[in-house]
Structures are given as structure tokens and as C-alpha cells.
Amino acid sequence: MLRFRRLRTRIIVAFAILVALVQAIAFALVNVVNDRAAQAKIGQELAVGERIFRRLLEDKRAQLIQTASLLAADATLRAAAAGRDPAPIETVLRSHGSRVGADLMLLLDAKGVVVADTAGAPRRGREFPLPALIEAARRDGHSASLALVDGHAYQLVIVPVLAPQPVGWIALGVQIDDALATDLQRLTELHVSFIQFEAGREPRLVASTLAPA
């Protein structure tokens, strides 16, 4: 009888260990499957967010190029530019640029020196800091880039003012800031951060939907 009880106890213990082992294996497999499914879903959401982000940048770039091209052909702007008085030029720049939400609106002369700036006098008389974009616009008819101007990040476009050769340049830009990041978050339901990388410098946070910490 005692031997039977010991045998039964051993069987119960062995069965319990087997059940626990099977449950552990099943839990591990389910966890792996769930983890892979979650990662796949996150990857899909990030891919969708990236496509939306690229589409928004492309649409905004197209709007900026169209507006800058209209400005470059504007007779009022040409007349004002001939007099080189910044006040009337900036009035025309604001009128057109505000329609596409431009934050940076400049008229440059043929050498790339700022003639008019809707932000005020600080940039007037200074050389535009991105001559490569001017050369690209000279070559291709327009240029567009994400660029830094005076420490602020912009989606920037440049088009020539032709007569018929370039006699100046229109630069329009939309600032990349927390408001833009928040707009992207609303559309993608993803947190968005813009980080600046420069050789020899620490990465700098430009804009984000995340808390500063």
C-alpha cells in the first residue's frame, strides 16, 4: 500500500511537472508570436506614417514652388525689386507667402544677397547662407531642401526671377517646429521628432511631440 502511494505521488509529481513544462512552452510560443505580431504592426504603422510624412512634404514643396514661381513672375514685385526698396517688396512677399503658410520669405539679388526679408532688417544686406541651393535653382529652374537658416529648420524652396536671365531669387520656407510635428502626429497617430545632425556636433532636437524630458 505504501509502495502504491509512493508510485502515485511520483506519477502526480511527474504529471504536474509535465503540465507546467507544456504550459511554459505554450506561454513562450504565444509570447513570441504576439511579440512578432506587435513588431510587424508597429513596422506597418511606421511605414504608413513615413508615407504620409513624405506625401505632406512633397505637397507642401509643390505649393511653395508654385507660389514662389508666381511671385517671381509678379509685375508688382518686379517693379518694387527694381527700386530695391524693401518695404513694398516685403508687402508682396507677405501677400503671397501667407497663402501657403510660409514663415521665411526673402528676395535675393543676382549675387545671392538678401534685398528684402519679411522677418525684418536683420538679414538684409547679408549673403544667403545656402549658395548651393541657388546654384541648384540656376541649374534646374528651382531647388528645394530641408535646410537650416539662422539656426531654424525650414522646408525651403528657391526659384529665379528671370528677365530673361536670373536677376534675383525668391526664397520661401515653412519652419519645422513643434506645431508641424503635432500636425503630423494628428495625421499618423505617431510621435514625431526632428533631430539635426551635423558633423562634429552633438545631435540637436529641432522639434518634437514628446515632452522635453
Side-chain angles (χ1 to χ4, degrees):
M1 188 70 174
L2 183 59
R3 184 179 298 174
F4 176 75
R5 288 179 180 175
R6 288 178 179 175
L7 179 61
R8 185 176 63 179
T9 301
R10 289 177 182 177
I11 293 173
I12 291 172
V13 170
F15 184 75
I17 291 173
L18 180 62
V19 169
L21 182 61
V22 170
Q23 287 180 335
I25 293 172
F27 176 79
L29 289 174
V30 169
N31 192 47
V32 168
V33 171
N34 287 341
D35 186 56
R36 288 179 178 175
Q39 289 184 12
K41 184 177 181 181
I42 290 170
Q44 291 171 357
E45 290 176 351
L46 289 173
V48 170
E50 180 187 10
R51 287 196 293 271
I52 292 173
F53 173 64
R54 288 181 179 275
R55 181 61 181 270
L56 286 173
L57 285 182
E58 290 169 0
D59 289 348
K60 179 58 72 174
R61 179 177 62 196
Q63 291 175 4
L64 288 170
I65 290 172
Q66 182 180 33
T67 299
S69 299
L70 290 173
L71 263 169
D74 188 282
T76 304
L77 179 73
R78 287 171 178 266
R84 296 185 70 87
D85 180 1
I89 299 172
E90 288 162 3
T91 297
V92 179
L93 289 174
R94 286 192 191 93
S95 176
H96 286 266
S98 61
R99 298 172 191 172
V100 289
D103 302 295
L104 179 74
M105 292 165 265
L106 306 175
L107 174 68
L108 317 175
D109 66 14
K111 295 180 180 180
V113 175
V114 178
V115 175
D117 175 7
T118 57
R123 295 191 190 96
R124 292 178 197 156
R126 290 166 46 188
E127 288 188 8
F128 187 66
L130 301 166
L133 289 181
I134 295 178
E135 290 306 312
R138 191 190 306 275
R139 182 184 66 246
D140 301 328
H142 68 264
S143 64
S145 179
L146 297 178
L148 288 172
V149 178
D150 293 337
H152 297 287
Y154 294 91
Q155 185 179 12
L156 186 66
V157 303
I158 295 178
V159 302
V161 180
L162 302 173
Q165 297 301 315
V167 295
W169 308 91
I170 299 291
L172 293 183
V174 174
Q175 187 171 351
I176 296 174
D177 54 14
D178 289 347
L180 176 62
T182 300
D183 287 342
L184 287 171
Q185 183 188 29
R186 292 195 189 102
L187 291 170
T188 63
E189 297 184 352
L190 298 170
H191 279 291
V192 179
S193 296
F194 295 94
I195 301 172
Q196 171 196 344
F197 293 92
E198 285 187 284
R201 294 188 178 183
E202 290 293 322
R204 182 176 73 89
L205 184 65
V206 175
S208 180
T209 56
L210 299 168

